Amino acid sequence: MNQRTARVSAASLPTPDQIADSWLARYRDLVDDWDAFAEALGRPLPVALWANPARISVEALTELLVEQGLSPQPIQGLPNALNLPPDFRAGQQWWYCVGLAHAQEAVSQLPVTLMDLEPGQRVLDMCAAPGGKTAQIAFALDNRGTVVANDISYGRIKALQGNLDRLGVLNVTTTQSDASNWPTAGGQFDRILLDAPCSSEGTIRRNPSLLQRHDPAGSERLGPRQRALLRKAVQRCRPGGLILYSTCTFAPEENELVVADILAEFDGKIRLRTIDIPGFDTALGVTEWLGRTLPPELARCRRLWPHRNDTGGFFIALLEKDANLPAEPEPELATLAESEHDEWLDGLLSKYGLPDDYWSRYRINRQTKRGLHLMAADHAPPAVPPAEGRGIFFHRTNVRPPKPTTSGALLIGPDVTRFRLELSREQRDAYLRRETFAPTPEQLAANPPGQVIASYRGHVLGIAILHRSGVIESQFPSRWSGRASGTD
């Protein structure tokens, strides 16, 4: 869940007595300090966000927030992340809307940091929406190579792609598929993230209504689905590769018991790695639950309880596949037409003063009649399952004149040498509200009429039109502008 949509008042959160009288009491013997646990669930959750490493350093983002009158706090163990007050609306800030940062709960940021990611690896995110972890993976691979981000829901894929576009992620192909039936023809992966669908018990600080509507029996019902997904993850993992299994729930039925059953099913073919999470106070995995004794290696899993780090609840297991097992053949790759775009690309070079070899760093494909998509030069998506999208939609060619999309402008904008318009704070606010506004005499003198790349304090905002009549028309997307307050 993206934090920018989750704003919870302290009055709506449960009291310690309500916690004690609820289904959460089933975990009393698992929690080291029940009173602190119950008290933590009654406090609003801080807003956590990470700086987009392709666009801004965490130090520069901190400066922006301090200038805004905020006191961002570094998150120990997450060097690229910051905590802000619970009532802060990150998604309405100008810097958020143009992809300088992404809001994501602190414990939700941890799985990707444990996957030992390096450029050149092939990675699958099985249940990827809304895309925060996918984007983390993409940037850990230096925005190169191949990540496949899958989700079963088309609506969630749209939200996922929106976040990837805003953040400028170039090395991801999105697919809509039941990941428990991921096709063998799609190949094997060096790293697989399975942030499994779960009962979400650990999100009570963001979703207090769970306390009344949750039925713990749902954990038993979810177990078969989670096992099917983790089973498929093991099958799709290359020998020697890693699988990160995580949930945001407390229930052992969805955590240790799932992992224990898959370990037994693949006896000797996978093993649990010990997890070290510097900066976070974690608990060992459960080895006894409701009369069932689990193998002692289940203690290598890690639990994050809300009271230990002022976070939500989370569970993480890291599995390694035996490197001596036989590997499968490499998958058939998708065929992408890449030779029909020279006229449009040359037009962008000429207009915006980009270097002649600029496009060599990318792979460009016309995926729809609307225009061109841009990917990392070494992005190699599989032929199956069929892609919903590859890279970002960056240049709209079905309009006259053709124009970069906002995600395209955010990407190429820092490199343009012509037709770039620096806005004032007031102009920036009008631009984000999709308004028409007046240029200054200096802006008129520096730019001829037509498309321009709009920026603020050197950070690209998107495309604007400088009309001959002497006004600037915002081209900021309507689906993005509704959440932008323009707050400094």
Side-chain angles (χ1 to χ4, degrees):
M1 181 178 177
N2 192 320
Q3 275 191 299
R4 65 181 174 79
T5 64
R7 202 179 119 180
V8 176
S9 68
S12 67
L13 288 162
T15 66
D17 287 344
Q18 289 171 325
I19 295 293
D21 292 337
S22 75
W23 49 267
L24 283 165
R26 73 193 296 256
Y27 303 125
R28 184 181 283 272
D29 292 338
L30 297 183
V31 182
D32 61 318
D33 187 337
W34 175 264
D35 291 340
F37 171 74
E39 183 183 350
L41 292 183
R43 296 196 303 268
L45 192 67
V47 171
L49 52 86
W50 49 264
N52 182 344
R55 293 185 180 157
I56 193 171
S57 67
V58 69
E59 293 80 12
L61 179 61
T62 299
E63 290 179 10
L64 285 178
L65 297 172
V66 170
E67 290 176 14
Q68 197 170 319
L70 298 164
S71 299
Q73 299 300 311
I75 301 176
Q76 189 175 5
L78 292 170
N80 199 42
L82 301 167
N83 263 341
L84 290 167
D87 61 350
F88 183 73
R89 293 191 172 188
Q92 292 189 346
Q93 310 305 312
W94 72 269
W95 41 263
Y96 190 94
C97 292
V98 299
L100 299 186
H102 186 72
Q104 186 178 354
E105 217 268 285
V107 288
S108 186
Q109 296 181 42
L110 290 175
V112 173
T113 70
L114 302 172
M115 292 174 67
D116 196 17
L117 292 162
E118 295 179 357
Q121 294 169 341
R122 190 170 190 259
V123 184
L124 171 64
D125 188 348
M126 296 182 77
C127 304
K133 296 181 185 69
T134 304
Q136 282 184 281
I137 292 170
F139 292 129
L141 301 185
D142 201 24
N143 216 1
R144 296 183 286 129
T146 304
V147 180
V148 179
N150 178 78
D151 205 88
I152 196 170
S153 164
Y154 178 74
R156 286 172 61 82
I157 284 287
K158 296 287 283 185
L160 162 65
Q161 190 65 60
N163 278 322
L164 300 181
D165 288 348
R166 177 177 59 84
L167 294 167
V169 174
L170 302 176
N171 58 349
V172 171
T173 285
T174 56
T175 60
Q176 182 194 357
S177 174
D178 178 354
S180 65
N181 292 319
W182 184 269
T184 300
Q188 291 185 311
F189 296 83
D190 302 293
R191 300 289 185 269
I192 296 178
L193 173 63
L194 173 53
D195 188 44
C198 68
S199 57
S200 303
E201 294 173 346
T203 69
I204 286 176
R205 297 178 71 181
R206 288 187 279 127
N207 304 292
S209 64
L210 272 174
L211 198 65
Q212 285 74 45
R213 57 186 173 85
H214 176 58
D215 175 8
S219 295
E220 291 282 0
R221 293 191 293 269
L222 283 164
R225 169 79 174 148
Q226 293 157 339
R227 287 172 177 82
L229 287 164
L230 187 52
R231 180 181 301 114
K232 182 60 66 173
V234 174
Q235 294 167 351
R236 293 299 89 224
C237 184
R238 283 179 175 152
L242 299 179
I243 303 158
L244 192 297
Y245 177 81
S246 62
T247 75
C248 56
T249 196
F250 304 125
E253 293 90 344
E254 302 178 61
N255 296 331
E256 290 91 349
L257 271 63
V258 170
V259 175
D261 287 348
I262 296 301
L263 284 171
E265 184 176 331
F266 291 90
D267 185 26
K269 296 180 180 179
I270 55 173
R271 70 177 185 91
L272 272 170
R273 272 194 175 187
T274 300
I275 298 172
D276 182 29
I277 310 179
F280 283 80
D281 183 6
T282 65
L284 304 181
V286 170
T287 55
E288 298 274 349
W289 180 245
L290 299 182
R292 178 176 172 180
T293 299
L294 303 178
E297 58 261 39
L298 268 296
R300 296 174 185 168
C301 303
R302 288 294 179 267
R303 286 176 162 264
L304 292 108
W305 294 100
H307 62 290
R308 288 195 173 191
N309 304 282
D310 195 18
T311 63
F314 217 74
F315 171 85
I316 299 174
L318 184 61
L319 299 107
E320 182 177 8
K321 190 168 182 178
D322 186 350
N324 295 314
L325 294 170
E328 295 180 5
E330 291 298 309
E332 178 187 352
L333 300 182
T335 301
L336 305 179
E338 302 183 50
S339 59
E340 305 171 359
H341 327 307
D342 288 349
E343 181 180 351
W344 289 313
L345 298 178
D346 290 346
L348 285 172
L349 294 181
S350 175
K351 177 176 177 63
Y352 290 109
L354 298 169
D356 290 341
D357 63 347
Y358 189 75
W359 304 118
S360 64
R361 69 185 77 176
Y362 301 118
R363 189 175 186 187
I364 296 164
N365 173 241
R366 185 176 175 87
Q367 296 177 26
T368 70
K369 293 181 179 180
R370 296 186 303 157
L372 306 181
H373 279 66
L374 185 145
M375 298 163 279
D378 58 348
H379 186 59
V384 292
E388 292 296 325
R390 303 182 186 98
I392 66 169
F393 178 42
F394 94 103
H395 193 42
R396 190 179 296 278
T397 61
N398 64 342
V399 296
R400 292 293 178 267
K403 64 178 180 179
T405 64
T406 298
S407 54
L410 294 175
L411 189 75
I412 69 172
D415 299 317
V416 305
T417 57
R418 294 197 292 266
F419 291 93
R420 179 158 171 170
L421 187 66
E422 181 72 7
L423 304 183
S424 67
R425 188 182 70 177
E426 292 75 17
Q427 289 175 323
R428 178 208 69 192
D429 293 350
Y431 176 86
L432 294 175
R433 293 192 297 264
R434 289 176 53 82
E435 297 174 355
T436 298
F437 53 95
T440 66
E442 293 77 15
Q443 289 171 330
L444 279 175
N447 292 280
Q451 297 173 13
V452 293
I453 302 286
S455 62
Y456 173 70
R457 296 183 58 171
H459 298 292
V460 178
L461 304 177
I463 293 290
I465 307 296
L466 180 57
H467 287 281
R468 294 184 182 279
S469 60
V471 297
I472 300 171
E473 179 186 354
S474 170
Q475 301 288 290
F476 199 65
S478 57
R479 68 183 184 280
W480 294 7
S481 67
R483 65 190 182 196
S485 67
T487 303
D488 218 7

